[in-house]
Amino acid sequence: MTEHLASIHGTEKDRVNCPFYFKIGACRHGDKCSRMHNRPATSQTLLFVNMYQNPALTAPLGKDGLPKPINPYNLQDHFQRFYRDIFEELRIFGIIENLNVCDNLSDHMIGNVYVKYRSERSAMKALKSINGRFYSGRVIVAETSPVTDFRESTCRQYDDNTCSRGGYCNFMHLKPIKRSLRKELFTNIENTK
């Protein structure tokens, strides 16, 4: 019996625990979900809820009622600066294995930032220090996350540019960063081991 329960934990067959919360650390149903959201007491992964504010989504409206277009170069530059800023702040607490920012539009995923540390101890230090602080004039809401493998939580169709759900997909659509920035930031970490 216990082997069966262990084999279905966090899958669609599990009628007690929410598989989306288990894989993504967020659920579109929130507190109204019919399944349990078991937030781990400790984890290597932290979730910063709605932390990234995409300027394309907060652009002023034009005369036609639609958001004014923003230069894609400026959008990418804004994101790269955000990514570098948050990375440099978070690496104070320990070695970062992954730093991902969601590009989804759903309320439960928009602007979510996930950081996975090499150790739980580093993650817990970051959680204590950062939760409740301010970033860009907004309170940071940080929590532990059950996500351990981002390959399971990301939308494979999005990576192939074939996701039919667009920004409202329930799997992570991760904002890409330039390879040069990734190499610069994560190489520096490897050199500090």
Side-chain angles (χ1 to χ4, degrees):
M1 180 68 170
T2 56
E3 288 178 19
H4 172 70
L5 291 175
S7 71
I8 65 169
H9 180 72
T11 67
E12 290 295 324
K13 292 179 184 177
D14 186 347
R15 295 291 165 209
V16 176
N17 300 296
C18 178
F20 279 104
Y21 184 79
F22 183 72
K23 288 181 187 175
I24 298 163
C27 171
R28 67 185 166 127
H29 301 294
D31 294 337
K32 295 179 182 170
C33 185
S34 61
R35 298 183 187 180
M36 290 180 59
H37 296 169
N38 294 313
R39 183 173 300 138
T42 64
S43 175
Q44 288 176 266
T45 307
L46 300 179
L47 163 61
F48 300 101
V49 180
N50 306 125
M51 185 176 186
Y52 177 65
Q53 297 295 296
N54 189 335
L57 302 176
T58 58
L61 300 179
K63 292 178 183 177
D64 58 0
L66 298 173
K68 291 181 180 177
I70 298 177
N71 181 327
Y73 174 79
N74 293 343
L75 286 174
Q76 186 63 25
D77 182 59
H78 177 271
F79 175 65
Q80 301 278 119
R81 282 186 280 118
F82 168 81
Y83 193 93
R84 177 186 297 278
D85 190 33
I86 197 73
F87 188 94
E88 289 176 356
E89 180 65 25
L90 292 172
R91 78 171 167 195
I92 293 169
F93 305 102
I95 296 173
I96 296 172
E97 289 188 352
N98 288 330
L99 178 62
N100 294 314
V101 179
C102 287
D103 203 17
N104 301 64
L105 298 174
S106 305
D107 289 342
H108 67 292
M109 294 181 73
I110 189 168
N112 284 357
V113 176
Y114 294 83
V115 61
K116 182 179 179 187
Y117 285 95
R118 184 163 292 163
S119 73
E120 284 184 8
R121 185 176 180 187
S122 297
M124 295 301 96
K125 283 193 318 189
L127 179 66
K128 284 181 181 178
S129 177
I130 294 190
N131 194 31
R133 284 177 40 189
F134 285 80
Y135 184 85
S136 193
R138 299 177 66 237
V139 175
I140 298 172
V141 178
E143 57 189 51
T144 56
S145 174
V147 177
T148 56
D149 186 355
F150 288 99
R151 293 173 301 194
E152 290 292 316
S153 57
T154 55
C155 176
R156 290 178 186 89
Q157 286 96 11
Y158 178 75
D159 292 339
D160 298 335
N161 288 324
T162 60
C163 182
S164 61
R165 296 178 187 258
Y168 294 97
C169 180
N170 280 321
F171 288 94
M172 290 181 194
H173 289 189
L174 300 179
K175 287 189 74 61
I177 63 166
K178 290 183 180 176
R179 195 173 298 168
S180 59
L181 179 60
R182 179 173 297 283
K183 184 177 178 183
E184 174 192 337
L185 295 175
F186 285 93
T187 301
N188 286 342
I189 281 184
E190 292 300 316
N191 293 336
T192 60
K193 284 185 194 177

